[in-house]
DNA sequence: ACCTGAACACCGTTCAAGT
DNA sequence: ACCTGAACACCGTTCAAGT
């Protein structure tokens, strides 16, 4: 790839991340192109659809999911505390950008989603946490990671779109936690 | 209101209901206007925004919520059975049109929503069910109708947008039920 | 009063023309 | 090979002109 093309690509992703953080995934692409100093055609040369750009912006974010999971797994306290702490972490992670919870949660289990790989990361993060709890026999049988990702993702989606305060979200997560714990 | 205006209004709502049922709330208004045999301006004369039209379509539906609630309250069996049966009814009711779960659940507790009155109906339906269960001491303290409407609505939203099969949704509703029962 | 349909605003996406 | 920006498609909404 030519040096100027590489630079343009990098700038687009960088600007997109900032704009998405501020305005969510609804932000117009024109604005991103303008702030990155390129024409809309250039943006589309690098990212054939808006979802492709969103996917690129999410790329770096994958690492943050892994480290957040590690931290949650090291949490001391009861199984319930660990799980609740994980749920709050999970909601925080997928809510980094407005519109993120819906986009990510809805794509779980969908075969041809452009952000399929990001969903896999989320599901496997939940798998790790659930596996640890299952080991202690703290979990109900039949709960699986996809299900939990959808449940907590559903809560995050509602919270994101209704702009709910954390102290309203928290008790909802407690309900889900109590529902999956033995 | 002039007779022809009344007839146009009625036809618009009737066509809108059919189109929304078939294609969800994403359906273009042009199509509704065309099928109703009016110009787009006429549609907007009767309904100043798309949400106003959606609200009108939902109007009749309010009654169906009440009767569905009555039926669920008469359900025989354990508290858990009654609650699960209600949850499935509730999901069915708000999922009548694609996009409905998100629109309704997201609007709960939002002050200036155009479908505020519809949300009130949903919350009070949940209140009735929860009140009956609370009477038997079957509920955890601190669970309230808004919370449950958001939790089950969140599940319905994910199910609607990912087009989940009922046998995938059911266990998610069980988790929520177990989380609110004492 | 009410209706029509062309027109506007907005935004994702494409493409002919340039370097 | 890559870039630009005008243009297109789509859809919610408005408005001047008609009856």
């Amino acid at each position: 790839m030519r040096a100027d093309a590489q630079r343009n690509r990098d700038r687009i992703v960088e600007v997109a991340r900032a704009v998405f953080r501020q305005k969510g995934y609804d932000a117009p692409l024109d604005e991103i192109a303008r702030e990155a100093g390129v024409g809309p055609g250039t943006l589309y040369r690098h990212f054939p659809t808006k979802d492709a750009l969103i996917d690129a912006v999410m790329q770096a974010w994958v690492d943050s999911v892994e480290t957040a999971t590690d931290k949650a797994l090291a949490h001391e306290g009861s199984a319930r505390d660990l799980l609740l702490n994980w749920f709050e972490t999970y909601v925080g992670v997928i809510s980094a950008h407005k519109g993120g919870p819906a986009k990510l949660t809805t794509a779980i289990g969908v075969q041809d989603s452009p952000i399929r790989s990001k969903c896999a990361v989320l599901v496997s993060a939940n798998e790790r946490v659930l596996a640890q709890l299952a080991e202690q026999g703290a979990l109900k049988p039949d709960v699986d990671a996809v299900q939990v990702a959808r449940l907590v993702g559903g809560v995050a989606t509602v919270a994101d779109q209704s702009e709910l305060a954390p102290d309203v979200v928290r008790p909802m997560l407690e309900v889900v936690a109590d529902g999956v714990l033995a």
Side-chain angles (χ1 to χ4, degrees), chain A:
Chain A
M1 185 183 290
R2 239 162 59 180
D4 57 343
Q6 181 67 57
R7 205 181 49 235
N8 277 335
R9 206 198 118 98
D10 291 348
R11 293 200 49 168
I12 289 168
V13 173
E14 190 183 343
V15 169
R17 181 152 27 232
V19 171
F20 286 153
R21 178 153 46 224
Q22 212 188 16
K23 309 204 173 181
Y25 292 135
D26 284 343
L29 295 184
D30 271 6
E31 186 180 334
I32 293 170
R34 187 166 33 74
E35 276 190 45
V38 301
T42 301
L43 196 158
Y44 271 85
R45 157 164 273 267
H46 290 290
F47 306 99
T49 66
K50 186 172 187 174
D51 272 331
L53 175 58
I54 291 175
D55 186 66
V57 167
M58 284 178 169
Q59 198 56 51
W61 166 93
V62 165
D63 298 332
S64 81
V65 175
E66 315 255 320
T67 62
T69 312
D70 292 338
K71 202 172 292 182
L73 281 173
H75 191 84
E76 308 191 3
S78 67
R80 189 173 188 270
D81 278 351
L82 188 148
L83 189 59
L84 267 173
N85 177 61
W86 164 243
F87 283 174
E88 290 201 312
T89 300
Y90 184 78
V91 170
V93 162
I94 68 175
S95 304
H97 298 152
K98 191 161 169 65
K103 195 167 271 292
L104 286 163
T105 305
T106 289
I108 290 174
V110 173
Q111 208 57 13
D112 56 344
S113 162
I115 55 171
R116 190 169 66 268
S117 67
K118 307 303 174 291
C119 295
V121 170
L122 292 178
V123 171
S124 89
N126 274 290
E127 246 158 23
R128 288 178 59 202
V129 175
L130 294 183
Q132 173 156 325
L133 290 169
E135 219 168 279
Q136 328 168 198
L139 277 189
K140 284 218 174 78
D142 299 340
V143 304
D144 69 289
V146 167
Q147 202 178 81
V148 170
R150 282 183 176 139
L151 278 162
V152 180
V155 171
T157 299
V158 174
D160 181 49
Q161 275 157 22
S162 298
E163 308 203 328
L164 301 183
D167 65 311
V168 175
V169 177
R170 171 83 186 192
M172 294 170 69
L173 296 177
E174 288 180 8
V175 169
V176 177
D178 290 338
V180 298
L181 290 169

